[in-house]
Amino acid sequence: EAMLRAETPQEQFNLIGAGRRNILYNGAFEIAQRGTSFTNVDNSDYTLDRWKIIEGSTAVFTATQSTDAPNGFAHSLKLDVTTADSSVAASDFCILNQPLEGYDIISFAAGTTDAKYHSLSFWVKSNVTGTFIAGLRYNDSGKNSGQAYTIDQADTWEHKTVVFPPQTTNAPSYDNTEDLSLYFWLLAGSNYSGGSSLETGWSTTDNTRAVGQTNLVASTDNEFYITGVQLEVGKVATPFEHRSYGEELAACQRYYYAHVDGADQTIGAGANYSSSILTVGVNFPVTMRAEPTAIYPDVTNGFTFYRNGGNDLFDTFATVASPSLNAAFMDVTSGISGTAGHGGRVKTAAAGSYLHFKAEL
């Protein structure tokens, strides 16, 4: 039946599982480079790889990589409301979001007469039943489309599919910036839901984006689970595309790379640029989306330069020198007392130490 409904050979090609279909990252929530549990999650906080909360609300969550999942999946993302927002202001909103760069969405042919349908499918579970909105936003043009789905039974895994129409009027930039965003609405004040009906086409009118949205964050008793999220070309959703762990990890590392975590982990080979300056090089396993920012804790004696005749402990890195998409040099200017030109091993020295790199959208 699906093959007969397909309008093009490409849709038939997708239906038989040939080639990559899911343009989203970590749709099964297997990758957790930042950790598996996050407290006090609110606006712009990333949780499991490539998924974040964006909001203008008082709501706060605990987010975890849960083992509660439907058959065929090992994990889900669980959002547990820890601070509620039951008195909803017009401007309040709360969204589970994955941003996508333009390079990933070329196959939708947006802004052309050949623009394609967008099929979104996922598994969802909550103790809250009612109408929820999944949305897409083309950021260059501000064009939004919302599609409603219903959580029918409390505390029961349900599979949902929604289809977004072709977006024919505004072409995105097709570069490494955020050009398409996926939204799972959790709360929508009247600025986003006060219109007469949900905008299921494409519009820049804000108050039709989430008409009918249930307030998931009304109580700290509420929780929301999701997994198996797939966004693909065509009007027919296909079964979830399971990719290998290694392939999914490498895809996520374009945006976030956890180089080392914990004590006695090798950061790289280092050398004394001078008697008081250490330089250590780090190579990234994949090409990152943009020049990354280094992320590390300020831990007393968290790192060490282990060298012949000495062991220099230091707390923090001074600069990231000349980062590129593939590597970076880290400079240390405090706690170093070696000999210019001498080399050694740079590593973590405390349980709470880590070194990560971020190039998120």
Side-chain angles (χ1 to χ4, degrees), residues 42 77 94 120 123 134 157 164 179 216 232 263 288 305 329 337:
D42 52 20
L77 173 64
C94 187
L120 175 68
W123 287 89
W157 280 107
F164 298 84
D179 287 330
L216 180 92
E232 58 191 306
M288 301 197 76
F305 178 36
F329 281 98
S337 58

Side-chain angles (χ1 to χ4, degrees), residues 242-314:
H242 286 279
R243 298 192 280 258
S244 73
Y245 184 91
E247 185 179 4
E248 198 74 68
L249 174 61
C252 291
Q253 286 173 332
R254 175 171 171 79
Y255 303 91
Y256 194 93
Y257 168 49
H259 183 56
V260 292
D261 286 281
D264 199 29
Q265 301 296 304
T266 297
I267 292 172
N272 279 107
Y273 178 79
S274 68
S275 61
S276 59
I277 299 176
L278 163 69
T279 295
V280 55
V282 176
N283 292 314
F284 309 139
V286 302
T287 299
M288 301 197 76
R289 182 192 66 85
E291 291 183 358
T293 300
I295 302 172
Y296 45 86
D298 188 356
V299 176
T300 300
N301 294 334
F303 304 93
T304 184
F305 178 36
Y306 188 72
R307 55 182 173 78
N308 183 27
N311 183 27
D312 295 339
L313 290 163
F314 60 95

Side-chain angles (χ1 to χ4, degrees), residues 44-130:
S44 297
D45 283 348
Y46 274 92
T47 58
L48 305 185
D49 280 61
R50 303 298 301 121
W51 294 94
K52 66 179 179 177
I53 294 292
I54 55 175
E55 68 170 357
S57 167
T58 59
V60 180
F61 299 88
T62 292
T64 55
Q65 185 187 48
S66 174
T67 56
D68 186 341
N71 292 337
F73 295 89
H75 293 105
S76 65
L77 173 64
K78 176 185 178 183
L79 298 176
D80 185 19
V81 180
T82 54
T83 300
D85 185 353
S86 58
S87 180
V88 180
S91 60
D92 284 359
F93 69 92
C94 187
I95 295 165
L96 174 64
N97 165 244
Q98 180 166 142
L100 294 162
E101 59 181 299
Y103 292 138
D104 288 328
I105 64 171
I106 295 172
S107 57
F108 288 117
T112 75
T113 56
D114 293 320
K116 312 299 183 187
Y117 286 88
H118 314 60
S119 288
L120 175 68
S121 55
F122 53 95
W123 287 89
V124 66
K125 184 174 88 164
S126 177
N127 64 312
V128 180
T129 60

